[in-house]
Amino acid sequence: MIEQILSPECWLVFLADWTLFLQAFGVTVMVSIAALALALALGVVFGVMSTSHYRLPRSVARAYVEAIQNTPLVLQAYVFYLALPYVGVMMGQVSVGIFAVGIYHGAYIAEVVRAGIQSIPRGQAEAAASQGFTYVQTMRWVILPQTVKIILPPLVNQMVNLIKNTSVIALIGGTDLMNRTNDWATSGASIYGPPFLVCGVLYFLLCFPLSTWGRRYEERLKKKDHHAEQELKKLEEELS
Amino acid sequence: MIKLSNVHKSFGNHEVLKGINLNVHEGEKLVIIGPSGSGKSTTVRCMNGLEMPTSGQVFVDDVELTKKNRITLVRSTSSMVFQQFNLYPHLTVMGNLTLAPIKLFGKSKKEAQELARHYLAVVGLEEKALAYPTTLSGGQQQRVAIARALCSQTKIILFDEPTSALDPETVQEVLNVMVKLAAENITMVIVTHEMGFAREVADRVIFMDDGTILEEGTPEHFFVSPTHERTKQFLGKILH
């Protein structure tokens, strides 16, 4: 594999097919964005539910989070792909990937959102209640805007994991970057070095700027806002 | 205006209010004093549904306050000023003052801002409209909180130990604003340890001890010739 990386001939063969990789990279980016949107929506809804005063929404949110967090993502992806057709839901591999990854990370984001909401001092919700805001209005105008600021770092963490986890699509045969790389390398020319290296570089190019930005944001937040630093600490304890 | 009828409140096994009967009249300035843990704060928090009585009833404008009507009833009748200010830190002073008028009372942004400027002038902080709460001193934050309460234009304002979290130097600036308000026809219920202030603005003073109202009367009665030994003891301690 190392020799292949150093061999110009191998690179020439690989580069002849570069559009295939670009296309697969596009699929990975697209799946990441769609799954992220789904995960954020689920995360906010279930995160808010798990801070409710009522037991039913709390239990539903708890069940979702525990079921997802305590089984492997790969299993979930297989279940979506293999079991759903039996109940009449037919989806392509890419759609299954979006749902599986979105639902999986939705559970983690729900926990981030829950911890974020709980780190906001109770006086905020009381002030809103004393003004006559309903629960949903209080969340929308008072609590969630404050939550966003402090949950951004763990949220970015989840985004990075989500991007990497879209590679689960390879297992159910979708044409994402991971699967295309594996397919291309194991069929025909038996050239492994260049494609796997490029595959890794492409994932890195997506994830590294994001995680760097998240880390810098967290440092800046801690520096300029002592109040936020304490909430952040509480959040980290809560999540660990 | 507000009526508490045999209100009991327990937290777990601890009974905080042991049958409170109280009538607050329109325009009245009612001051509640008493040692900490006597149930003063819980009493005012029952008046706007931040706490619901374990038994007994609360009436606001002759309507019984229930879990169901709490939000809408409170919205139109009362606002509250808290010990810890509870300003919304993600919004500017102007944002704090206009949030409820815009979202709850259907005012246009322009109307809400005019209203906000008017009440900022009342508390003497016009120049801080665009500042964020955390950049203000405690006294300034509390004056903004009072202006926020005024922006709801409710007939009742509840004050829960508004000066207890302040530096001694800034207590007076907040009390001055409250004295100014007391000249208006607003109904004010004030929990405080500021006896000079109580004497100056109160129409009626209530002394609470161990979850009951032990004594009530005019400020003259209280500070000149209280009847109960317990009241004398308390005043003796706090005045010297």
Side-chain angles (χ1 to χ4, degrees):
Chain A
M1 206 156 134
I2 303 292
E3 306 95 78
Q4 285 184 344
I5 288 172
L6 298 172
S7 141
E9 294 86 53
C10 286
W11 279 98
L12 280 176
V13 177
F14 166 66
L15 287 174
D17 280 341
W18 71 277
T19 48
L20 284 178
F21 284 80
L22 192 67
Q23 195 191 31
F25 181 62
V27 171
T28 288
V29 171
M30 195 272 290
V31 169
S32 298
I33 292 170
L36 180 64
L38 177 63
L40 282 175
L42 290 173
V44 170
V45 169
F46 283 93
V48 168
M49 275 166 67
S50 53
T51 62
S52 166
H53 296 297
Y54 299 101
R55 178 169 295 189
L56 183 69
R58 267 204 324 266
S59 310
V60 171
R62 202 70 242 148
Y64 164 57
V65 168
E66 296 300 342
I68 295 298
Q69 286 195 346
N70 294 297
T71 53
L73 169 61
V74 176
L75 174 74
Q76 291 165 25
Y78 277 137
V79 166
F80 275 108
Y81 186 56
L82 299 173
L84 284 181
Y86 286 101
V87 292
V89 183
M90 298 295 279
M91 280 193 287
Q93 290 99 327
V94 169
S95 307
V96 170
I98 291 171
F99 277 97
V101 174
I103 289 169
Y104 179 79
H105 283 282
Y108 283 90
I109 291 175
E111 282 294 273
V112 171
V113 170
R114 177 190 60 76
I117 290 172
Q118 286 172 349
S119 71
I120 304 297
R122 216 176 55 155
Q124 292 293 310
E126 288 187 348
S130 78
Q131 288 196 289
F133 286 95
T134 63
Y135 181 72
V136 171
Q137 288 171 327
T138 301
M139 282 294 157
R140 172 68 189 84
W141 304 113
V142 177
I143 306 295
L144 287 178
Q146 295 184 52
T147 309
V148 167
K149 190 173 88 171
I150 56 163
I151 65 173
L152 252 174
L155 211 53
V156 168
N157 216 352
Q158 282 301 317
M159 288 183 199
V160 171
N161 285 334
L162 179 145
I163 292 170
K164 293 184 294 183
N165 281 341
T166 57
S167 59
V168 76
I169 289 177
L171 288 168
I172 51 174
T175 50
D176 76 323
L177 180 61
M178 192 67 246
N179 199 25
R180 178 59 54 79
T181 306
N182 194 42
D183 258 7
W184 191 90
T186 53
S187 59
S190 291
I191 295 172
Y192 303 102
F196 278 108
L197 179 66
V198 167
C199 173
V201 167
L202 287 175
Y203 276 112
F204 186 84
L205 284 179
L206 273 184
C207 296
F208 180 69
L210 204 53
S211 61
T212 306
W213 178 76
R215 207 183 51 245
R216 293 228 175 108
Y217 172 89
E218 183 173 350
E219 279 161 11
R220 263 205 316 276
L221 190 63
K222 277 180 177 168
K223 209 181 279 173
K224 80 167 192 239
D225 192 343
H226 179 66
H227 191 58
E229 184 180 351
Q230 285 175 334
E231 284 168 3
L232 217 56
K233 238 191 222 151
K234 225 164 108 189
L235 182 74
E236 273 161 16
E237 278 166 22
E238 180 76 28
L239 282 174
S240 64
Chain B
M1 190 110 256
I2 306 177
K3 190 173 150 201
L4 271 62
S5 168
N6 199 22
V7 167
H8 290 255
K9 176 70 186 177
S10 302
F11 295 106
N13 288 328
H14 181 53
E15 192 172 32
V16 183
L17 298 183
K18 300 173 179 172
I20 301 291
N21 289 294
L22 180 60
N23 245 316
V24 187
H25 310 291
E26 180 155 7
E28 189 178 26
K29 323 298 166 197
L30 177 74
V31 169
I32 304 177
I33 61 173
S36 52
S38 57
K40 311 181 295 286
S41 284
T42 311
T43 302
V44 285
R45 288 165 62 88
C46 281
M47 292 179 183
N48 68 351
L50 282 186
E51 309 289 354
M52 295 309 274
T54 313
S55 70
Q57 294 154 299
V58 177
F59 297 90
V60 181
D61 266 351
D62 295 323
V63 182
E64 186 178 353
L65 189 69
T66 62
K67 253 189 164 164
K68 271 219 174 97
N69 71 9
R70 175 174 66 165
I71 293 291
T72 42
L73 187 58
V74 162
R75 185 182 295 167
S76 56
T77 51
S78 78
S79 38
M80 192 173 213
V81 174
F82 297 84
Q83 183 177 356
Q84 300 294 342
F85 330 132
N86 296 347
L87 293 175
Y88 307 132
H90 61 300
L91 299 175
T92 60
V93 166
M94 187 52 93
N96 269 274
L97 267 55
T98 54
L99 188 65
I102 293 173
K103 303 295 177 197
L104 298 180
F105 301 118
K107 289 207 159 45
S108 72
K109 198 174 168 191
K110 195 162 159 271
E111 284 173 314
Q113 286 181 342
E114 268 167 32
L115 191 70
R117 269 193 214 97
H118 171 71
Y119 286 117
L120 272 181
V122 171
V123 301
L125 286 172
E126 294 129 297
E127 77 284 2
K128 296 292 185 189
L130 298 178
Y132 279 89
T134 45
T135 64
L136 304 178
S137 73
Q140 290 172 331
Q141 287 192 50
Q142 195 60 300
R143 281 149 67 198
V144 171
I146 292 172
R148 181 175 70 178
L150 287 167
C151 280
S152 289
Q153 299 187 297
T154 52
K155 289 180 288 187
I156 307 165
I157 305 184
L158 310 171
F159 295 84
D160 187 5
E161 301 204 24
T163 59
S164 297
L166 297 177
D167 296 333
E169 311 94 84
T170 57
V171 168
Q172 201 52 47
E173 68 183 58
V174 171
L175 291 181
N176 288 343
V177 168
M178 291 173 66
V179 169
K180 202 160 135 192
L181 286 189
E184 315 272 322
N185 191 35
I186 305 167
T187 307
M188 296 165 77
V189 179
I190 308 158
V191 174
T192 187
H193 292 291
E194 296 294 330
M195 293 305 144
F197 166 77
R199 197 166 179 171
E200 187 179 348
V201 305
D203 297 317
R204 184 157 56 120
V205 179
I206 278 177
F207 177 71
M208 286 189 66
D209 188 37
D210 195 26
T212 57
I213 295 175
L214 205 60
E215 188 164 356
E216 65 172 280
T218 62
E220 287 73 37
H221 162 82
F222 253 89
F223 297 107
V224 181
S225 55
T227 358
H228 276 268
E229 202 46 46
R230 185 75 185 88
T231 318
K232 284 179 199 162
Q233 247 178 30
F234 176 75
L235 290 173
K237 252 184 232 156
I238 207 157
L239 291 177
H240 303 296

